[in-house]
Amino acid sequence: MDNLFSLIRDRMPSHDRAFMTLASGKVYTYRDLLAESGRLANTLVTLGVKPGDRVAVQIDKSPEAVFLYVACLRAGAAFLPLNTAYTLAELDYFVGDAEPAVIVCRPQIHAEVAALGARHKVLVCETLGGDGKGTLIDKAAGAGSAFDDVVREPDDLAAILYTSGTTGRSKGAMLTHRNLSSNALTLVETWRFTADDVLLHALPIFHTHGLFVAINCVLMSGASMLFLPRFDGDEVMALLAKANVMMGVPTFYVRLLQHAGLTPEATRHMRLFVSGSAPLLAETHDAWRQRTGHAILERYGMTETGMITSNPYVGDRIAGTVGFPLTDIDVRVADDKSATVLGQGEVGVLEVRGPNVFSGYWRMPEKTKAEFRDDGFFITGDVGKIDARGYIHIVGRAKDLVISGGYNVYPKEIESEIDGLEGILESAVIGIPHPDFGEGVTAVCVRKPGATISADTIIQVLGKTLAKYKLPKHIEFVDELPRNAMGKVLKGELRTRLAAIYSGSAG
Ligand code: MCA
Ligand code: AMP
């Protein structure tokens, strides 16, 4: 029985222990987790979900959303979480591509999502709100809490997480029970999680960081979490005393540093602060150490691979590095074009192999093949080097990608939308250093001769189809885009030219 949940069950502490505590003080025990996920698993089966079927969810963060994730594992379904910021236009693509058996959405957009689902022949559309109420929960209330977990092979699908491609549409990364369980076990050991830990959870739960890194570490160690609906600096500071571990994207740390209450006393009880999903600036690492006495542990991962490297739990956590490969994971640096493996200190693309690496992109065998070397290494698209002590440094990206507040934005997607607008000749989307989000999505646009289209109009139109976090924070109009002899837009030159536009901006 290699269902990830069977491992979790084997390691579960006394069922009376807390699994999740809310800011209100309400506690859900491991017994509640078993009962509620059992009810939901029975409900999924009644709705027609069979092992291997996809269950697509676009729902706000709530304890019930976590129970639904666990229910999918137990029922052998593939959990397919979607960012709540996605618009209906974006959702349409994911539903059409993944062909889920069931969609679970927020109650307020049920009519629209049900109609969208029906167009793709998805006939079951249930609701679940951030308050834990909805048609799915109504149905689960009448279901039994006992459920026989479905037997899964290690290579069976546990989840699909969509990740945008640099060209074309988003790709569904297929993650297996082995991928998730091996990574969770490794992280529990590396970061020394035990049943006595309390993780402050303020991340969204539709991406790898909040879902698999945070929640699976808690589940695999029988720990508990202080579960907040979203990141709010004041609330985090107020509740920090009740936790001993926190995971966050760099923006969390940047924002918390603005709190006068962030002192050595306020953080003395903390065992670990983890950062990832985007580069943590050395200055943030240093400022945090000065203010609290804690060295943030930076780690590195991807949707396709889970966590790949980590700074050490014991030993030097070096600012500006992402540490060492995790147990059983091989990392090497190779020349992007020739695939030649490079030596220590040489800069190239990072490649990774191990039980954590996904099984491929959903229904895209060609794209999958293109991202692997013949010997099984996955090409991350991140540019880095390995120093004399074995620490890995990420120095850039071979992929055209902007990471804003931990969310990935693919310039190509935004450029295509802008280029389709009346009055626009062409555009280039780039990331510029941003004091709050790390990188700010920035569009450089060339109008057609005589056109007067404004930045406000561009934002307004894009907002109809694109998630808000993808919208440019600034639009710059230029007469022409700089290009090299081959006609390729010189994005580096644009980045240099606009480097200072967000300096001093509060966020
Ligand atoms: C919100 N906005 C953003 C972002 N978030 N804009 C750009 N980038 C963002 N990340 C927009 C809002 O829609 C709003 O628009 C305006 O910015 C200000 O919102 P604000 O209230 O400041 O934002 P927030 O709600 O506080 O959110 C900021 C956040 C959030 C807390 C940093 O984005 C967040 O939780 N990020 C974490 C993402 C994450 O979990 N990534 C992990 C991916 P308007 O003013 O127009 O309404 S997993 C991964 O990357 C790999 C595997 C890994 O290694 O972990
Ligand atoms: P995603 O696949 O959306 O989860 O994003 C993964 C990407 O986030 C990686 O390929 C990196 O470019 C970036 N990333 C994650 N963690 C770090 C980190 N600690 N430092 C720099 N980049 C990171």
Side-chain angles (χ1 to χ4, degrees):
M1 169 93 167
D2 283 292
N3 191 319
L4 162 62
F5 190 72
S6 61
L7 270 176
I8 292 168
R9 194 192 270 282
D10 287 349
R11 300 163 66 95
M12 208 170 266
S14 152
H15 295 178
D16 294 333
R17 303 238 344 192
F19 165 56
M20 198 171 359
T21 306
L22 307 187
S24 63
K26 186 171 166 88
V27 175
Y28 295 85
T29 61
Y30 273 91
R31 180 170 292 110
D32 296 327
L33 168 69
L34 283 170
E36 299 314 316
S37 63
R39 268 187 245 288
L40 284 164
N42 278 315
T43 309
L44 292 175
V45 171
T46 307
L47 290 172
V49 173
K50 292 185 280 306
D53 280 352
R54 280 75 57 214
V55 174
V57 308
Q58 192 194 30
I59 51 180
D60 289 318
K61 196 175 170 185
S62 69
E64 290 74 13
V66 178
F67 300 149
L68 179 57
Y69 157 57
V70 171
C72 286
L73 292 177
R74 297 181 66 183
F79 187 65
L80 196 166
L82 294 160
N83 194 323
T84 45
Y86 290 149
T87 62
L88 286 171
E90 290 166 319
L91 198 59
D92 192 73
Y93 167 74
F94 297 118
V95 172
D97 189 58
E99 298 186 316
V102 172
I103 307 174
V104 185
C105 70
R106 286 164 293 173
Q108 58 273 31
I109 55 166
H110 178 251
E112 294 90 331
V113 177
L116 179 159
R119 282 203 298 282
H120 295 290
K121 305 200 168 40
V122 183
L123 300 179
V124 186
C125 180
E126 302 293 342
T127 64
L128 174 54
D131 59 0
K133 296 190 178 130
T135 59
L136 185 73
I137 300 304
D138 293 344
K139 287 184 178 157
S145 60
F147 183 83
D148 284 335
D149 302 337
V150 169
V151 176
R152 296 273 78 191
E153 296 298 321
D155 291 328
D156 282 337
L157 203 53
I160 295 182
L161 263 64
Y162 275 84
T163 157
S164 293
T166 39
T167 53
R169 304 308 303 255
S170 289
K171 301 168 285 187
M174 298 191 288
L175 297 158
T176 64
H177 284 263
R178 188 204 312 273
N179 294 150
L180 300 184
S181 54
S182 67
N183 216 228
L185 286 168
T186 295
L187 293 179
V188 163
E189 199 184 301
T190 307
W191 296 341
R192 311 235 176 139
F193 267 82
T194 73
D196 292 329
D197 282 318
V198 181
L199 171 88
L200 192 147
H201 194 305
L203 288 157
I205 56 171
F206 39 69
H207 282 315
T208 297
H209 198 163
L211 184 62
F212 301 139
V213 186
I215 295 180
N216 285 356
C217 265
V218 168
L219 285 168
M220 235 4 147
S221 58
S224 78
M225 55 187 168
L226 192 51
F227 200 66
L228 308 184
R230 58 185 287 277
F231 178 84
D232 175 300
D234 294 333
E235 196 170 26
V236 167
M237 285 309 302
L239 292 172
L240 204 56
K242 297 186 174 172
N244 71 340
V245 183
M246 190 182 92
M247 293 183 189
V249 296
T251 300
F252 285 19
Y253 293 101
V254 168
R255 290 188 181 180
L256 291 174
L257 275 166
Q258 290 157 18
H259 275 260
L262 187 78
T263 59
E265 293 70 44
T267 53
R268 182 154 297 146
H269 64 288
M270 291 296 286
R271 173 175 84 73
L272 182 62
F273 288 102
V274 180
S275 175
S277 307
L280 181 75
L281 293 181
E283 69 191 55
T284 309
H285 188 280
D286 294 343
W288 191 269
R289 196 197 278 261
Q290 263 183 11
R291 284 280 293 281
T292 68
H294 289 275
I296 298 172
L297 181 153
E298 183 169 10
R299 68 14 170 224
Y300 156 66
M302 282 184 81
T303 302
E304 289 93 331
T305 62
M307 297 305 98
I308 302 169
T309 72
S310 170
N311 266 280
Y313 187 79
V314 177
D316 292 341
R317 298 178 192 164
I318 310 240
T321 83
V322 293
F324 308 110
L326 291 162
T327 312
D328 295 335
I329 297 177
D330 297 317
V331 178
R332 69 185 183 193
V333 178
D335 181 79
D336 196 11
K337 302 261 165 355
S338 68
T340 311
V341 176
L342 302 174
Q344 179 236 304
E346 292 186 287
V347 173
V349 70
L350 295 171
E351 300 182 351
V352 54
R353 187 171 66 182
N356 56 314
V357 176
F358 75 135
S359 62
Y361 295 112
W362 172 254
R363 292 181 180 162
M364 288 185 181
E366 294 306 316
K367 289 219 159 110
T368 303
K369 201 159 169 274
E371 311 233 354
F372 280 87
R373 301 287 186 206
D374 292 342
D375 57 0
F377 274 81
F378 172 67
I379 308 161
T380 63
D382 291 307
V383 174
K385 64 173 182 185
I386 304 178
D387 71 19
R389 293 174 67 188
Y391 284 85
I392 295 175
H393 301 237
I394 297 177
V395 300
R397 295 178 202 133
K399 50 195 173 188
D400 193 12
L401 161 70
V402 179
I403 306 185
S404 169
Y407 287 141
N408 289 7
V409 180
Y410 284 85
K412 188 97 195 79
E413 185 184 11
I414 322 300
E415 289 161 3
S416 312
E417 294 288 331
I418 298 179
D419 293 351
L421 298 177
E422 182 85 32
I424 293 289
L425 187 65
E426 59 175 354
S427 64
V429 169
I430 51 175
I432 302 286
H434 188 287
D436 186 35
F437 292 124
E439 290 181 280
V441 177
T442 307
V444 185
C445 302
V446 182
R447 294 189 186 99
K448 282 185 180 149
T452 55
I453 184 167
S454 69
D456 284 350
T457 306
I458 295 177
I459 295 293
Q460 209 187 347
V461 181
L462 294 190
K464 291 189 184 140
T465 51
L466 295 177
K468 255 189 170 174
Y469 69 86
K470 297 180 186 173
L471 301 180
K473 300 272 180 225
H474 175 82
I475 295 183
E476 184 85 5
F477 289 101
V478 297
D479 292 336
E480 62 178 343
L481 297 175
R483 291 179 187 278
N484 67 10
M486 311 290 289
K488 195 169 178 284
V489 175
L490 295 168
K491 290 196 166 181
E493 189 179 317
L494 289 174
R495 276 192 286 270
T496 309
R497 213 193 281 173
L498 297 173
I501 54 173
Y502 299 116
S503 55
S505 123

